[in-house]
Amino acid sequence: MTSDFYRIRRLPPYVFAEVNALKAAARARGDDVIDFGMGNPDLPTPRHVVDKLTEAVRDPKTHRYSMSRGIPGLRKALVGSYARRFGVDLDPERETIVTLGSKEGLANLAQAITAPGDVILCPNPSYPIHAFGFTIAGASVRHVPLLPLDRFVGELEKACRHSVPRPSALILNFPSNPTAQVVGLDFYAEMVDFARREGLYILSDIAYSEIYFDGNPPPSILQIPGAKDVAVEFSSMSKTYSMPGWRIGFAAGNPGLIGALSRVKSYLDYGAFTPIQVAATAALNGPQDCVDEHRAIYQARRDVLVSRFAQAGWDVPSPPATMFAWVPVPEAYRHLGSVGFSKLLLQEAQVAVAPGLGFGEYGDDHVRIALVENEHRIRQAARNLKRLFESGKGRIDNA
Ligand SMILES: Cc1ncc(COP(=O)(O)O)c(C=O)c1O
């Protein structure tokens, strides 16, 4: 009997585990850790959505198995929101599906469309499930450096030329977690052309499409004419409506891919609990000022982070979108790598960040700071960091 399981063997130790263990130990010691580590929204789900959940849960009819593809009302609400926000028409039956969070949808679509050894193109750094969903499914993941963005298309073309077999899918995620990069419609038009030429599918993840700043809403790839021939797009309630624990996301676009995901999911699950889907419908169909309010809170936090950390001696590039800043490790600490630097911040300044290495090898000279602490706590973190930087601990010039 073996315990050396094929799929588990393909999963490396979790990079974040080391820093998470230190964080847990610091908390157990009673340290007040200012936690910018995980992208776990701290803002509450809007009141009217919670009220809808409690109303729906009182109806015993909602206690039965739900629908694996999502209740029709929620799929129609998604269609309405795509029409309003992006001017995109979708067929709720053939072109949409509700998922148990977008992470589940990404992973199960990878299972649905992958044969062992298929080559997948994945930007690096990236949100871990983008690569590992396919790794678990048995694919060979070809990592394509995401930075700088003006070289990305050239890198994709090179990866296609040199991959055997030819890649079958490409993952895109803009606004990007972790880099916060955004793209315009020109970029998506180029990607749709590229996918047609190379005969590959695009899986686009727009989990952060509504967390944008300075009045610049990011586009959807489905706005490109003909995009549905090659692309499917994942979106999520988690960040837009501060509903991360509710586990509702969506896929929309290419009917073949939506059909494949529906088929796999029909074997695996009965859909999210109906009251949660009813409440998610209320969120999409209801007033959107809660989304504007949350966006304004993230933008204010971003501005405090950038200005206060600069005063502490650490330049933070201002993110145009997402709830993250992607920040170069200061020169004097580069020798520590992103994991070593994250440990130093935690131990000496009680500030937790996510080491860039956790998002892939090309991320190791950065850390990711999530805007999930309030402005007061961000100022406190800046004071702690200033003390650390002035102490000289960990700097190469003092090593
Ligand atoms: C880029 C990206 N996609 C997907 C997800 C997962 O979202 P969900 O809660 O819908 O599974 C996240 C969560 O952090 C994310 O950052």
Side-chain angles (χ1 to χ4, degrees), residues 299-309 375 378-379:
Q299 180 166 327
R301 288 177 179 180
R302 174 199 68 166
D303 293 343
V304 171
L305 179 82
V306 170
S307 70
R308 291 305 173 109
F309 277 38
E375 292 177 39
I378 295 171
R379 285 192 206 97

Side-chain angles (χ1 to χ4, degrees), residues 39 101-103 127 130 173 177 205 207-208 236 238-239 247-248:
S102 57
K103 192 177 187 187
Y127 177 59
H130 293 160
N173 167 221
N177 175 13
D205 175 350
Y208 297 96
S236 172
S238 297
K239 317 292 156 128
R247 312 311 301 132
I248 295 284

Side-chain angles (χ1 to χ4, degrees), residues 39-41 99-106 127 129-130 173 175-178 205-208 234-239 243-245 247-250 323-324 368:
N40 191 359
T99 60
L100 307 173
S102 57
K103 192 177 187 187
E104 178 270 322
L106 281 157
Y127 177 59
I129 198 66
H130 293 160
N173 167 221
S176 161
N177 175 13
D205 175 350
I206 57 164
Y208 297 96
F234 289 87
S235 55
S236 172
M237 303 296 288
S238 297
K239 317 292 156 128
M243 295 170 67
R247 312 311 301 132
I248 295 284
F250 307 97
M323 49 197 291
F324 307 112
R368 192 195 71 177

Side-chain angles (χ1 to χ4, degrees), residues 157-219:
E157 278 164 359
K158 190 165 86 185
C160 271
R161 267 199 313 280
H162 297 291
S163 296
V164 178
R166 309 285 290 180
S168 52
L170 159 67
I171 296 144
L172 296 177
N173 167 221
F174 297 102
S176 161
N177 175 13
T179 67
Q181 290 159 291
V182 289
V183 294
L185 282 174
D186 289 358
F187 175 85
Y188 282 140
E190 200 173 351
M191 287 295 101
V192 169
D193 270 359
F194 173 72
R196 278 188 203 289
R197 230 175 24 246
E198 299 294 339
L200 46 78
Y201 284 116
I202 294 176
L203 278 62
S204 173
D205 175 350
I206 57 164
Y208 297 96
S209 64
E210 306 316 305
I211 316 287
Y212 59 83
F213 308 131
D214 312 314
N216 292 319

